[in-house]
Amino acid sequence: MRIFNSLSKQIEEFKPIEPDFVKVYCCGPTVYKDQQIGNWRTFCLSDFLNRSLKLFGYKVDFIMNMTDVGHLFETGADPEGGEDKIEKQSTEEGRSAREIVEMYTKSFLEEYKEMNFLEPKKFTKATEYIDDQINLIATLEERGFTYETSDGVYFDTSKFEQYGELSGLTMENIKEGARIDPNPEKRNPTDFALWKFSPSDKKRQQEWQSPWGVGFPGWHLECSSMIMKELGNTIDIHVGGEDLKMIHHQNEIAQSECATGQKFVNYWVHGAFLTVDGGKMSKSLGNFYTLSDVKQRGFSPLDLRYLFMTSHYRGPLNFTWEAMQNAQNSLKRIYELVSSYVYDPKAEISDKFMKKFKEKLEEDLNIPEVLAVVWELIKSSIPEESKLNTILKMDDFLGLKLQEHIGVEIPKNVLDLAKMRGEYRKNGIWDKADVLRRQVNDLGYVIDDIPNGDFKVKKKF
Ligand code: AMP
Ligand code: ZN
């Protein structure tokens, strides 16, 4: 498998640390609101990656976190100079921070299932790793990478030579390009908080004791702690949206590598944005749709999954309802065809099509071309039974729940109506035959007449 590594900025041959076993981490949601479908695009990328790795025979240990503390809004010049997202939402909704977290964690997990993503080994929550985060700061302090200001404990980025390797920015051009830094106590514009003290004039709902004072962990820290604890000091693949590359992931690398002295991540995989009118779709910008919006307009989460497959993960995808409609039409057509094919579990799986399918995946997850192979298979002249078994095998990767649409069992009452209609037809009693056809339709099935006078009943989608 070959994959684009944001660290080397090129497509590389994927070589796992252990031969058959891959450790994957994806930065998950901040659970202060319902997820917008841009978030789902990124989570879908981690699912595509995990499913490909499995298709290629690897065992995958996958961890996704849920940020339930410490994620601050950005303000003009400062990426984390604003209010705490969860505390702010708590005030707006008149619910406690805990209730907010519980509510949006629940909706996230339900929707995660609806998108048909593979379950991770664990969903890790930042608040369940507070001690680990404190220990990580202590290690960094011992090694001389931290300093204290009036509002927290900071990481001194000038002490990490490779700072900027991932983002492509050197310390010099970061300094030159830096806007006026709102925090004059920071030694370098890129330094970031490892621990933030609770404000003296306001009681925070989420705060903990630490050797440096009462407060809460900086947002970047949680991912490093959870990765080290659950997967080890060095992992194979780290996934996230492209917005996280410049700061969040750069900071994850800095604090992890300075604490362990080991390489943190071998392959960084970043997904491009889902855009609206050419700009990023985002919870904080308010220009977003949620999965509920999508469902309310009559589309299924799997229609959205199909839509995500129509563009390469490194290219932007502009969201429109028209594109959503096209995705739904295509998926409906696949369901219809799958349900019309004769199912024989022993039928041969086409090596030729499977090979092509994997070749497209292997080349930096070229999923639009993977879909093209699916359609090529559908249009090919290989026997229906083989087509069906091949497409079902492909669905281990596609995750479109095709299995649910095969050999759809037709209820007896529907079959009886269809048979009776067949009899009327044979005897030329067209009006009665038509009434029965409509009844079958109303029950959600269609009758296809076959030239020899016989018929086939199919489920409508
Ligand atoms: P957040 O909940 O904002 O912390 O984001 C969770 C994940 O979704 C991160 O990996 C983000 O990079 C990603 N993300 C946020 N907005 C978008 C978008 N419009 N398109 C793709 N990914 C996004
Ligand atoms: Zn992260």
Side-chain angles (χ1 to χ4, degrees):
M1 183 163 157
R2 285 154 54 78
I3 190 94
F4 185 87
N5 186 350
S6 310
L7 196 60
S8 64
K9 293 158 195 64
Q10 56 192 3
I11 295 180
E12 288 179 26
E13 186 66 41
F14 175 67
K15 290 196 197 83
I17 303 164
E18 290 172 43
D20 304 316
F21 179 64
V22 186
K23 299 176 188 185
V24 185
Y25 179 87
C26 176
C27 289
T30 306
V31 280
Y32 74 110
K33 273 186 186 177
D34 275 326
Q35 303 308 307
Q36 44 95 359
I37 54 179
N39 300 128
W40 291 117
R41 184 179 188 206
T42 293
F43 305 146
C44 207
L45 166 62
S46 66
D47 194 58
F48 291 148
L49 195 60
N50 290 335
R51 284 177 183 264
S52 323
L53 290 166
K54 287 198 168 169
L55 195 67
F56 294 128
Y58 294 108
K59 182 181 172 303
V60 179
D61 252 6
F62 173 53
I63 298 282
M64 181 181 276
N65 74 309
M66 291 190 280
T67 300
D68 59 354
V69 68
H71 198 171
L72 309 181
F73 279 107
E74 48 176 274
T75 54
D78 190 342
E80 39 197 87
E83 276 183 84
D84 183 304
K85 293 185 175 181
I86 289 167
E87 301 246 343
K88 181 166 184 277
Q89 192 69 17
S90 146
T91 314
E92 274 174 21
E93 290 195 32
R95 292 185 163 93
S96 69
R98 197 196 162 125
E99 282 172 320
I100 292 290
V101 164
E102 276 174 7
M103 196 163 95
Y104 293 112
T105 298
K106 186 164 172 278
S107 65
F108 167 72
L109 292 175
E110 281 166 10
E111 295 184 347
Y112 188 94
K113 269 211 171 72
E114 289 183 297
M115 291 297 293
N116 198 22
F117 295 157
L118 298 179
E119 285 285 306
K121 182 173 144 193
K122 209 169 183 181
F123 283 109
T124 52
K125 295 180 184 174
T127 52
E128 290 173 359
Y129 294 77
I130 298 293
D131 287 347
D132 303 283
Q133 297 181 69
I134 290 175
N135 291 339
L136 188 54
I137 303 172
T139 306
L140 289 167
E141 187 178 42
E142 253 168 55
R143 295 184 158 218
F145 290 103
T146 67
Y147 62 93
E148 218 174 296
T149 71
S150 59
D151 76 345
V153 180
Y154 281 78
F155 183 93
D156 186 342
T157 51
S158 68
K159 300 213 164 136
F160 180 51
E161 228 175 82
Q162 295 95 310
Y163 197 88
E165 204 179 8
L166 179 69
S167 61
L169 292 174
T170 62
M171 191 53 86
E172 279 319 300
N173 61 32
I174 290 169
K175 276 187 183 155
E176 274 168 28
R179 289 160 286 184
I180 302 151
D181 195 71
N183 183 347
E185 288 183 79
K186 272 182 12 181
R187 293 185 189 163
N188 310 286
T190 45
D191 292 355
F192 56 93
L194 297 164
W195 189 260
K196 277 257 176 157
F197 302 136
S198 293
S200 49
D201 57 338
K202 213 166 120 198
K203 173 95 182 107
R204 272 184 62 90
Q205 297 181 57
Q206 295 177 299
E207 57 182 16
W208 293 265
Q209 290 288 347
S210 85
W212 309 277
V214 175
F216 59 99
W219 170 49
H220 314 296
L221 198 63
E222 64 177 83
C223 294
S224 294
S225 293
M226 295 185 280
I227 287 175
M228 287 177 196
K229 177 134 185 201
E230 300 298 336
L231 297 170
N233 290 351
T234 308
I235 62 166
D236 294 292
I237 305 177
H238 192 315
V239 186
E242 64 182 351
D243 54 332
L244 303 186
K245 186 166 71 175
M246 298 288 277
I247 298 176
H248 180 59
H249 290 161
Q250 185 59 75
N251 293 349
E252 279 187 37
I253 295 176
Q255 66 206 359
S256 306
E257 299 196 352
C258 290
T260 66
Q262 287 166 284
K263 187 163 185 202
F264 180 46
V265 171
N266 285 340
Y267 300 84
W268 284 92
V269 176
H270 288 106
F273 286 148
L274 184 68
T275 58
V276 209
D277 303 326
K280 180 193 173 192
M281 183 182 284
S282 143
K283 280 183 270 191
S284 42
L285 294 176
N287 60 350
F288 63 89
Y289 298 110
T290 62
L291 204 57
S292 300
D293 297 328
V294 167
K295 288 191 284 186
Q296 248 161 33
R297 297 237 192 171
F299 299 103
S300 78
L302 296 184
D303 294 334
L304 184 63
R305 193 179 164 97
Y306 190 97
L307 174 65
F308 291 154
M309 289 186 182
T310 60
S311 76
H312 191 269
Y313 78 92
R314 282 196 287 121
L317 172 61
N318 197 43
F319 182 80
T320 61
W321 290 108
E322 197 190 351
M324 192 73 241
Q325 185 62 59
N326 290 338
Q328 184 180 59
N329 294 347
S330 303
L331 186 54
K332 261 192 183 168
R333 182 84 190 115
I334 294 180
Y335 286 156
E336 264 165 20
L337 288 162
V338 161
S339 75
S340 72
Y341 294 153
V342 176
Y343 180 49
D344 173 5
K346 290 199 247 28
E348 195 184 340
I349 292 176
S350 161
D351 283 343
K352 181 183 122 191
F353 280 102
M354 277 319 292
K355 185 165 172 276
K356 253 190 162 171
F357 185 90
K358 287 184 181 170
E359 274 167 8
K360 301 296 180 193
L361 262 189
E362 258 167 1
E363 192 53 32
D364 195 24
L365 300 181
N366 197 339
I367 300 169
E369 293 211 5
V370 160
L371 276 188
V373 176
V374 172
W375 284 102
E376 201 185 314
L377 166 72
I378 286 172
K379 289 177 186 152
S380 75
S381 57
I382 68 169
E384 270 190 10
E385 292 88 332
S386 278
K387 259 187 210 178
L388 182 54
N389 268 2
T390 310
I391 202 171
L392 288 178
K393 178 76 194 145
M394 291 175 172
D395 199 42
D396 286 348
F397 168 77
L398 301 169
L400 295 169
K401 298 196 176 172
L402 301 184
Q403 192 80 33
E404 291 181 6
H405 297 277
I406 55 165
V408 182
E409 193 143 341
I410 311 296
K412 187 168 176 305
N413 62 326
V414 175
L415 271 182
D416 286 348
L417 286 172
K419 275 187 203 148
M420 214 189 301
R421 170 189 170 268
E423 290 304 311
Y424 283 134
R425 260 187 108 228
K426 268 188 213 150
N427 297 306
I429 310 175
W430 307 110
D431 50 345
K432 288 201 172 170
D434 268 358
V435 172
L436 291 183
R437 177 196 274 277
R438 251 174 276 132
Q439 274 187 30
V440 166
N441 253 288
D442 292 344
L443 290 167
Y445 297 85
V446 275
I447 304 174
D448 268 358
D449 291 314
I450 303 174
N452 66 5
D454 209 349
F455 62 87
K456 211 169 172 180
V457 186
K458 290 194 304 194
K459 193 165 166 48
K460 268 201 297 199
F461 291 99

